[in-house]
Amino acid sequence: MKPFDFVFGLISVITSLALTHLVAGIVALIRNGANVTFSWRHAAWTWVAFALVVGNWASFWQLHTIETWPFHRIMIGLAFMISFYAFCALVIPEVVRGQPLNLGEFHEHEGRRYIIAHIIFAGLAMIQLALPTTSFMGWLLAARFALLASLLSFVALFTRRVWLQAVAAISLAVLSTYVMVSLTSVVAS
C-alpha cells in the first residue's frame, strides 16, 4: 500500500459520509414532499454541496504521485474534509415526517451557517492548493476556483438582497458543476 492509498482511504470515508448525508437528506425531503416548500436558493446550495462532493473526491486523484505525506499535509487535508462535511451536513435540514418545512425560511435562518462552512472549506482549499506550488502565480492559478467560490460566498453571506444572494448561489452552482465535470473527466481519462 502506498502512502496515497492510506490518505485517500480516509478522504473517501469522509466524502462518503458527506454524500450519504446529502442523499439521505434529499430523500427525506422527497418523502415529506407534501409538507415541504421548495426554495431555489436552498436548492442551488444543495447542488453546490453535491457537485463539490464528486469534484473534490476526483481532485484528490491528482495527488496520487506524491510519495511523502508529512503530518501538516495530512492535517490540512483532514481539516479541509471535515469543513467540507460540515458544509454538507449544515445545508440539509432535519426533516420531521409530517411537519411543515419551508426551505426558504430554512435558508434565511440557517444559511449563514452553511455559507460560513463553505467559506472555511474554500479557505482550506486555498491552503491545500498552496502546498505543492512554488510561486504565487502557480498558487493563484491552482486556487482560482476556490478564490472565486470564496468571493461568491462572501457576497451571499453579507448581502441582504435576495436577488443578489440568488445570483451568488446560482453562480456557485455553475462553478461547482464545472469543477465537478472537469475533475471527474480527468479521473475518467
Side-chain angles (χ1 to χ4, degrees), residues 71-172:
F71 178 77
H72 73 277
R73 180 173 220 133
I74 293 171
M75 289 297 105
I76 291 170
L78 185 59
F80 170 77
M81 293 308 298
I82 290 169
S83 70
F84 181 60
Y85 175 82
F87 168 60
C88 292
L90 291 170
V91 80
I92 296 294
E94 292 183 21
V95 178
V96 179
R97 183 162 244 178
Q99 294 290 321
L101 176 61
N102 184 318
L103 294 174
E105 290 176 6
F106 174 77
H107 176 76
E108 287 301 318
H109 297 304
E110 301 296 324
R112 291 184 64 77
R113 289 187 175 135
Y114 56 78
I115 293 169
I116 289 170
H118 183 265
I119 290 168
I120 292 168
F121 164 71
L124 287 167
M126 287 184 259
I127 293 169
Q128 183 139 327
L129 291 165
L131 294 176
T133 60
T134 57
S135 69
F136 176 74
M137 290 309 291
W139 169 79
L140 195 58
L141 180 64
R144 65 192 180 279
F145 296 120
L147 287 164
L148 182 55
S150 295
L151 175 66
L152 291 167
S153 294
F154 276 113
V155 168
L157 183 64
F158 289 115
T159 188
R160 296 307 313 117
R161 292 190 171 99
V162 172
W163 70 268
L164 192 51
Q165 288 179 1
V167 167
I170 291 166
S171 298
L172 270 168

Side-chain angles (χ1 to χ4, degrees), residues 168-179:
I170 291 166
S171 298
L172 270 168
V174 170
L175 178 67
S176 300
T177 301
Y178 174 78
V179 168

Side-chain angles (χ1 to χ4, degrees), residues 19-57:
L19 182 60
T20 300
H21 193 88
L22 285 170
V23 172
I26 292 167
V27 167
L29 288 170
I30 292 168
R31 281 193 176 138
N32 201 42
N35 297 308
V36 174
T37 304
F38 184 77
S39 163
W40 283 106
R41 283 184 297 158
H42 179 263
W45 281 101
T46 303
W47 175 256
V48 168
F50 174 78
L52 289 177
V53 164
V54 176
N56 282 306
W57 170 79

